[in-house]
Amino acid sequence: MTSRTMDITLLDRSYRVNCPVGQESALQEAADALNERLNDTKERTNLHNVEQIAVMTALNLCHEWMNDQKEQAAKTAKLEEKIQLLQATIEQAMSEQRAQRGPQR
């Protein structure tokens, strides 16, 4: 896969990174979102050390991601329960319909 070099800015620092061709806008969008989060952390915590700001932001992002994963797993489990209930209901209705018809030849 071909890549190109891009410059992104995080906390007023410029970084040169490689990016797959065609993914430039996605990378820029991600960099902008990260920069916003880094600046939010900097303002909320009054930290000035870039490494500390980055670590705190990473911890917050990881915590949010883990919570999202748990929520998604709970939603998936609920959907699976509903699907099983629907399948059981359909199977019961089909069984009752066959019983009403009687034996087939």
Side-chain angles (χ1 to χ4, degrees):
M1 180 177 276
T2 312
S3 65
R4 68 178 285 257
T5 302
M6 282 184 61
D7 290 321
I8 60 170
T9 302
L10 302 171
L11 291 175
D12 299 321
R13 293 182 180 198
S14 187
Y15 297 89
R16 185 162 287 206
V17 296
N18 287 329
C19 176
V21 172
Q23 295 297 312
E24 297 87 356
S25 62
L27 175 62
Q28 189 59 57
E29 187 177 337
D32 292 344
L34 178 56
N35 191 48
E36 185 176 325
R37 293 297 298 263
L38 290 165
N39 281 308
D40 288 347
T41 299
K42 182 179 178 180
E43 289 173 18
R44 271 194 340 269
T45 62
N46 290 321
L47 292 172
H48 299 286
N49 179 295
V50 174
E51 185 176 312
Q52 289 176 328
I53 295 167
V55 168
M56 290 303 297
T57 301
L59 285 171
N60 287 332
L61 288 169
C62 189
H63 176 72
E64 291 171 17
W65 178 77
M66 289 172 66
N67 284 340
D68 288 347
Q69 293 294 314
K70 289 176 187 174
E71 287 177 22
Q72 188 62 39
K75 288 178 184 178
T76 299
K78 278 186 173 184
L79 284 173
E80 288 173 350
E81 280 181 39
K82 288 179 181 181
I83 289 169
Q84 288 176 351
L85 180 60
L86 284 170
Q87 285 176 329
T89 303
I90 291 168
E91 288 172 10
Q92 182 177 351
M94 290 175 67
S95 176
E96 289 172 2
Q97 192 176 44
R98 283 191 296 264
Q100 288 176 354
R101 287 188 200 153
Q104 290 185 341
R105 297 181 185 176

